[in-house]
Amino acid sequence: MTQPRTYVDHAASTPMLPSAADAWQRASRHVGNPSSLHGSGRAARRIVEESRESIADDLGMRPSEVIFTAGGTEADNLAIKGLAWAAPDRPRIVCSPIEHRAVLDPVEWLGEQGRPITWLGVDAVGRVSVDDVIAHLDVDVALCTVMWANNEVGTIQPIAEIAAACADAGVPFHTDAVQALGQLPVDAGRRGITSLALSGHKIGAPVGVGVLVLDRDARVVPVLHGGGQERDVRSGTVDAASSAAMAVAVRHAVTEHQAHAERIAGLRDALAAGIVGRVPGAVLNSTAEVSLPGHVHASFPGCEGDALLMLLDASGVECSTGSACTSGVPEPSHVLLAMGVDPALARGSLRFSLGRTSTPDDVERILDVLPRAVERASRAGSPTFRTVS
Ligand code: PLP
């Protein structure tokens, strides 16, 4: 008999919505390249443009402000490099230290090319201070970037205030909303937001599609040079089938997020309370008041997160850790370190991210197996994986 699986890694990737899969299948029957002038090309083009209009409508943007990409990483890279390169006379980049690697790595890479980087601070729950942002918006700043909600601990940032501060200072502002869409209202057209990154596979569209929302007045230098598609921001043939699935997933995220958030927040509260109540010494790093409704992030003193993860996996529970291990030695999560969590404690951390398919039975199953796994992991530990996305 196959073991039942309890999938609580929706922040890494969530199952496709049946309606998005249907849209993908219908659209994939078309063979044309959306840039071709013949009938098949025009049919593919119609799918892309209708998808673009639908997403623009749902996000309160103009269709020309929706740029299809191959995912969240690409959307972040196009915005960060593109906006920075478009402002050679303003070299500085202001960035939060708790960003996903899809933001941190291009920012650090630009730093290696000679750009000065200002790292913002965060408090013990991972929140950026708006005053800190304002204090750093000098005339030499090309770009400020702060994610809408964090992928590890789920902390939601004061995006409206940060965006307004950037608008007042005349500084372009990029936000990675990959984790936010579907769990929060995402007002992409809010004053001060220059660009915003979205990823399909976090909201029920396929892997390999994303959106960069880019203000119509924003100037970016393209990363990819080629056919000039997508306002010449992202050259390359647009994947019509994935754009159709993305439109369905965005519609679902925007219309259903409130009911979804209420449902999974209930599960989140039960899971968080159960972890603290049943696992001696467990410390929560996510906070219901400031975190995404689907995130529970906890540290288990004396454990290695990767060993714990493998023990849970063997019991049918699929979650992720906060450790990045590239050399056999686990590195504690940069997010937890920025929040001031002790490195040893940070290494013994797990993220449980709830989603559309999560049920009260999932919570019970996790709470059934976790105490024993923690007990065993505190005596073991040989980390080998990088598991946060
Ligand atoms: N940004 C955040 C906050 C994420 O969580 C992820 C994925 O884990 C990405 C960006 C990258 O998205 P994609 O997998 O579509 O490249």
Side-chain angles (χ1 to χ4, degrees):
M1 202 177 74
T2 52
Q3 191 184 42
R5 307 302 294 173
T6 299
Y7 183 80
V8 273
D9 203 13
H10 291 264
S13 201
T14 200
M16 257 177 100
L17 286 162
S19 51
D22 284 350
W24 187 93
Q25 221 158 17
R26 270 196 313 277
S28 64
R29 288 192 206 115
H30 292 271
V31 293
N33 183 322
S35 299
S36 298
L37 294 178
H38 49 61
S40 294
R42 291 198 305 279
R45 177 104 205 163
R46 203 170 310 120
I47 291 168
V48 171
E49 294 313 323
E50 284 174 6
S51 304
R52 193 190 310 284
E53 278 166 30
S54 166
I55 292 171
D57 225 34
D58 288 334
L59 298 178
M61 307 301 296
R62 295 176 186 83
S64 64
E65 294 174 314
V66 173
I67 312 280
F68 286 112
T69 69
T73 302
E74 192 181 88
D76 282 325
N77 271 261
L78 297 183
I80 289 163
K81 293 174 185 163
L83 289 166
W85 287 336
D89 50 332
R90 287 183 289 142
R92 184 171 297 280
I93 296 165
V94 175
C95 184
S96 94
I98 45 88
E99 300 292 304
H100 188 273
R101 296 253 48 119
V103 168
L104 280 188
D105 283 12
V107 168
E108 286 174 358
W109 180 80
L110 287 164
E112 286 159 18
Q113 315 296 307
R115 298 272 183 155
I117 313 293
T118 296
W119 295 106
L120 299 164
V122 292
D123 64 14
V125 294
R127 287 264 285 191
V128 166
S129 137
V130 180
D131 288 342
D132 193 26
V133 174
I134 292 170
H136 289 106
L137 295 178
D138 296 325
V139 286
D140 66 341
V141 176
L143 159 73
C144 173
T145 179
V146 178
M147 71 202 311
W148 201 299
N150 179 259
N151 49 300
E152 291 188 31
V153 292
T155 301
I156 302 163
Q157 300 296 339
I159 290 300
E161 292 85 347
I162 296 171
C166 288
D168 292 345
V171 170
F173 174 57
H174 173 70
T175 184
D176 176 330
V178 163
Q179 295 290 340
L181 188 68
Q183 297 197 51
L184 301 175
V186 170
D187 179 6
R190 182 174 283 285
R191 174 175 167 266
I193 296 180
T194 309
S195 57
L196 176 145
L198 300 174
S199 167
H201 70 113
K202 312 292 184 176
I203 58 168
V207 176
V209 63
V211 160
L212 173 64
V213 179
L214 182 67
D215 184 273
R216 66 171 169 177
D217 296 324
R219 214 177 85 66
V220 295
V221 172
V223 173
L224 301 173
H225 295 90
Q229 292 93 337
E230 303 298 282
R231 264 171 70 187
D232 199 21
V233 173
R234 198 271 187 183
S235 279
T237 303
V238 178
D239 178 348
S242 292
S243 76
M246 185 71 181
V248 169
V250 170
R251 172 69 47 90
H252 185 269
V254 168
T255 54
E256 301 295 326
H257 74 83
Q258 199 168 342
H260 173 67
E262 278 166 23
R263 192 183 76 81
I264 57 173
L267 300 179
R268 181 265 321 267
D269 292 343
L271 179 57
I275 289 175
V276 172
R278 294 199 210 174
V279 184
V283 180
L284 290 178
N285 301 307
S286 51
T287 315
E289 293 72 39
V290 297
S291 295
L292 289 168
H295 272 61
V296 176
H297 193 290
S299 296
F300 304 93
C303 292
E304 289 293 350
D306 289 349
L308 190 47
L309 180 137
M310 297 316 290
L311 286 165
L312 287 176
D313 186 45
S315 305
V317 172
E318 299 174 328
C319 60
S320 69
T321 71
S323 64
C325 181
T326 48
S327 58
V329 181
E331 292 168 26
S333 144
H334 66 282
V335 175
L336 296 181
L337 293 186
M339 289 163 56
V341 176
D342 175 77
L345 190 60
R347 271 196 286 271
S349 300
L350 291 179
R351 175 189 72 186
F352 303 93
S353 51
L354 302 154
R356 188 170 45 85
T357 57
S358 301
T359 64
D361 284 351
D362 289 341
V363 172
E364 264 319 301
R365 175 139 188 82
I366 296 165
L367 294 175
D368 271 354
V369 299
L370 185 63
R372 173 94 184 102
V374 169
E375 203 185 304
R376 288 183 63 194
S378 59
R379 291 185 257 119
S382 58
T384 42
F385 300 103
R386 175 182 178 136
T387 55
V388 160
S389 48

